[in-house]
Amino acid sequence: MSGGTGSGRCPKGGLGASGVTVEGAAWLASAGTYPRSTLALWEERPAAPVVLPCGTVFDVVSVPAIFGRRMLDRLWDEGPGSGPVAVYRGRMLLFASPGTAHRLPALLEWEEWGSPGRTGAVPPLLCHGAGDAVTVPAVRTTGTTGTTDTTDTTDPGEHARLGSRWVVAPDTRGPWLPGPEVLLWAAVRAARASASATVRISIFPPADQGANVYDVSRRR
């Protein structure tokens, strides 16, 4: 799979909305019925998460955070990269092309990767499409520089309680979004890696996952 275009480097993990631009915020807001109201809310309450509908601008695939991180590693290390990705309340939200929420479960069922008891099975994925809505982390637009205000005055305890942050932040008005086949590919490889890891024993602690970065210049 080939990479693509984008801008900047986005840290894996971390608090706040590093890398979110005014254009990215406008793209998120366009999913709602009243985009201007959503942007106004972010201006007035910059730390407020917002509920956005799925199915038109994007679908969202929600996965357990650890498994989602494995998927994301596969997407960036071996695949085309990803669209925007957020973490909220212990789950990773992968933004996908509209229609993915309907197609991905059918592909998983066809390939039998979700079968209970299967070694290396993909864990249950929550697919949000038309008629659904998701809560996304806040963005902090300045409205003047084209980037977000990364000075986060939110109580760190509030961030910890919500577990809300951007991992790969939206940065354009038309970000590339993976489809169901790409996410199936990443999920299967993450599941295989997880199954292999269960038989490994090490006396060393795991590497610091927060040290990894995703180069969004490779994104489609």
Side-chain angles (χ1 to χ4, degrees), residues 11-52:
K12 184 179 183 180
L15 299 177
S18 177
V20 179
T21 63
V22 168
E23 289 77 14
W27 173 74
L28 283 171
S30 71
T33 305
Y34 304 104
R36 290 184 179 180
S37 296
T38 300
L39 292 172
L41 173 62
W42 277 326
E43 288 290 345
E44 296 174 5
R45 300 177 56 197
V50 171
V51 177
L52 295 174

Side-chain angles (χ1 to χ4, degrees), residues 62-127:
S62 172
V63 302
I66 294 176
F67 187 79
R69 215 171 257 267
R70 292 187 180 122
M71 286 182 63
L72 209 52
D73 285 343
R74 298 311 176 279
L75 286 167
W76 286 97
D77 293 344
E78 307 167 25
S82 73
V85 179
V87 171
Y88 190 79
R89 295 190 184 276
R91 295 189 68 87
M92 188 167 283
L93 309 179
L94 297 115
F95 286 71
S97 60
T100 296
H102 174 74
R103 181 64 178 152
L104 182 57
L107 290 176
L108 284 168
E109 183 178 357
W110 177 263
E111 299 289 344
E112 299 184 349
W113 280 102
S115 300
R118 174 169 178 166
T119 301
V122 174
L125 307 181
L126 303 180
C127 298

Side-chain angles (χ1 to χ4, degrees), residues 103-216:
R103 181 64 178 152
L104 182 57
L107 290 176
L108 284 168
E109 183 178 357
W110 177 263
E111 299 289 344
E112 299 184 349
W113 280 102
S115 300
R118 174 169 178 166
T119 301
V122 174
L125 307 181
L126 303 180
C127 298
H128 304 285
D132 299 325
V134 296
T135 302
V136 303
V139 296
R140 300 179 57 82
T141 56
T142 64
T144 55
T145 64
T147 61
T148 58
D149 177 4
T150 55
T151 303
D152 192 349
T153 60
T154 307
D155 182 353
E158 182 69 5
H159 276 306
R161 183 182 70 81
L162 292 176
S164 173
R165 65 186 183 276
W166 288 102
V167 181
V168 179
D171 58 359
T172 73
R173 288 181 179 269
W176 176 77
L177 298 173
E181 293 82 4
V182 171
L183 292 183
L184 173 68
W185 172 87
V188 168
R189 278 156 181 74
R192 287 174 175 169
S194 179
S196 298
T198 60
V199 299
R200 297 174 184 168
I201 300 176
S202 174
I203 63 174
F204 300 104
D208 180 12
Q209 295 296 321
N212 291 353
V213 296
Y214 299 118
D215 182 359
V216 299

